[in-house]
Amino acid sequence: MKTKLSQKEINGLDLDGIIGSEIHFFPELTSTFDKIREYPPHNGLTVVCARQTAGCGRLGRRWESSDGGVYFTFMLTPPFNGFDIPFITIVCALGVQRALNKYLPCGIKWPNDIVYSGKKLCGILTRNLASHGKVDAVLVGIGINVNNSIFSKNLSHAASLSSVTYKEYNENLILTEVLNSIDDIYQNMSCDEILRLYKEVCVNLFREVTLVINGEELRGICTDILRDGSMNANIGDRIINVHSGEVSVKGIYEN
Ligand code: BTN
């Protein structure tokens, strides 16, 4: 049954980890990234909203954030349970994939898009909060298309849980399950275990990819995902190593 995000429902959430241990809900924000910066660094602090008027996506894009989606940012503070900062995006992608996989069989398009049948259900963007040259916190912003289904014409690759299953979902329950799933992986799994599970559901691995680096398109095969969250691709006769911030990957859909 469709249940919209609300403070009352969120107060009753069955969250059992650090991530989401303090949650602030807002009906509308410019972006959950803007709001969370107003709080002092605090491990697990989470800001959730029902819609965003200026949602941010990867590579400088906008994130369409109408009612029915679940939009949130949480904060992690050092020492990040020993994980390298770029690996946090791998942890979170796996956490979301495992939570949503209960509803429909989904995979991960490297580095952190959650996809179902070639369509994007969820995007993740991480940003560092830094002062005096050191990282005070990592901000993880996640947008999940749940009950929203109207996307702009240029988002033909986007889908929501509801648009592909013709059902309606409890947005608060999905928020809980995703936060608990990420927390479980972050607190309890080793880097090797996470990477193994990630590779099992990564839709790019051993598949053809087109990397767009500074406007140049390079075609090849994705051969590995590494412990720093980067991807190796075999392009012609050489292996190149790319990090998520510098490249867009075509292949599953066109960006
Ligand atoms: C992507 O481009 O794939 C990443 C999209 C990330 C969207 C989420 S929605 C919650 C948080 N606030 C934002 O402004 N962006 C992220």
Side-chain angles (χ1 to χ4, degrees), residues 31-33 52 55-58 63 71-73 113 120 123-125 141-143:
S31 160
T32 51
F33 278 115
Q52 299 180 117
C56 320
R58 283 184 66 232
W63 182 258
Y71 313 103
F72 58 101
T73 294
D113 288 356
K120 180 164 171 171
I124 304 176
L125 178 64
I142 301 183

Side-chain angles (χ1 to χ4, degrees), residues 2-231:
K2 181 168 174 173
T3 310
K4 294 171 77 62
L5 288 171
S6 74
Q7 186 68 64
K8 186 168 163 275
E9 295 282 341
I10 284 175
N11 290 344
L13 294 181
D14 197 12
L15 286 158
D16 46 27
I18 301 289
I19 301 173
S21 51
E22 181 180 330
I23 300 193
H24 301 273
F25 170 77
F26 301 86
E28 180 177 291
L29 291 172
T30 50
S31 160
T32 51
F33 278 115
D34 297 337
K35 181 51 86 178
I36 205 166
R37 287 174 201 279
E38 295 174 10
Y39 298 88
H42 170 46
N43 202 27
L45 174 79
T46 304
V47 166
V48 185
C49 71
R51 61 187 166 275
Q52 299 180 117
T53 54
C56 320
R58 283 184 66 232
L59 305 167
R61 299 180 183 127
R62 294 290 292 270
W63 182 258
E64 217 166 89
S65 312
S66 56
D67 272 308
V70 174
Y71 313 103
F72 58 101
T73 294
F74 61 82
M75 202 184 266
L76 298 175
T77 54
F80 307 118
N81 291 356
F83 295 119
D84 290 341
I85 291 177
F87 196 74
I88 290 175
T89 197
I90 299 289
V91 170
C92 295
L94 184 63
V96 179
Q97 185 274 334
R98 284 162 73 92
L100 298 188
N101 206 53
K102 285 172 40 183
Y103 295 95
L104 78 183
C106 52
I108 303 173
K109 173 182 179 275
W110 181 88
N112 52 21
D113 288 356
I114 309 304
V115 295
Y116 165 77
S117 190
K119 300 263 186 186
K120 180 164 171 171
L121 294 171
C122 165
I124 304 176
L125 178 64
T126 55
R127 288 181 166 165
N128 294 345
L129 204 58
S131 61
H132 311 295
K134 78 172 187 33
V135 175
D136 297 321
V138 169
L139 307 179
V140 181
I142 301 183
I144 309 173
N145 296 325
V146 178
N147 291 315
N148 49 327
S149 57
I150 304 160
F151 300 102
S152 311
K153 284 205 181 71
N154 62 345
L155 288 181
S156 55
H157 64 279
S160 65
L161 290 184
S162 158
S163 73
V164 295
T165 62
Y166 303 101
K167 292 181 189 158
E168 293 184 323
Y169 295 86
N170 181 333
E171 293 155 24
N172 303 281
L173 182 63
I174 288 185
L175 174 68
T176 316
E177 291 171 340
V178 168
L179 289 172
N180 282 341
S181 174
I182 296 171
D183 191 84
D184 179 38
I185 295 169
Y186 186 63
Q187 310 296 350
N188 301 320
M189 285 192 195
S190 69
C191 190
D192 284 343
E193 192 177 6
I194 295 167
L195 211 44
R196 181 180 61 76
L197 293 171
Y198 179 97
K199 287 181 189 181
E200 279 178 10
V201 294
C202 177
V203 295
N204 305 105
L205 194 56
F206 309 125
R207 300 272 290 276
E208 193 172 303
V209 286
T210 302
L211 307 178
V212 186
I213 306 175
N214 297 327
E216 190 192 354
E217 293 202 355
L218 302 171
R219 287 182 67 160
I221 302 288
C222 167
T223 55
D224 206 0
I225 311 295
L226 312 186
R227 294 174 69 95
D228 62 359
S230 65
M231 171 202 278

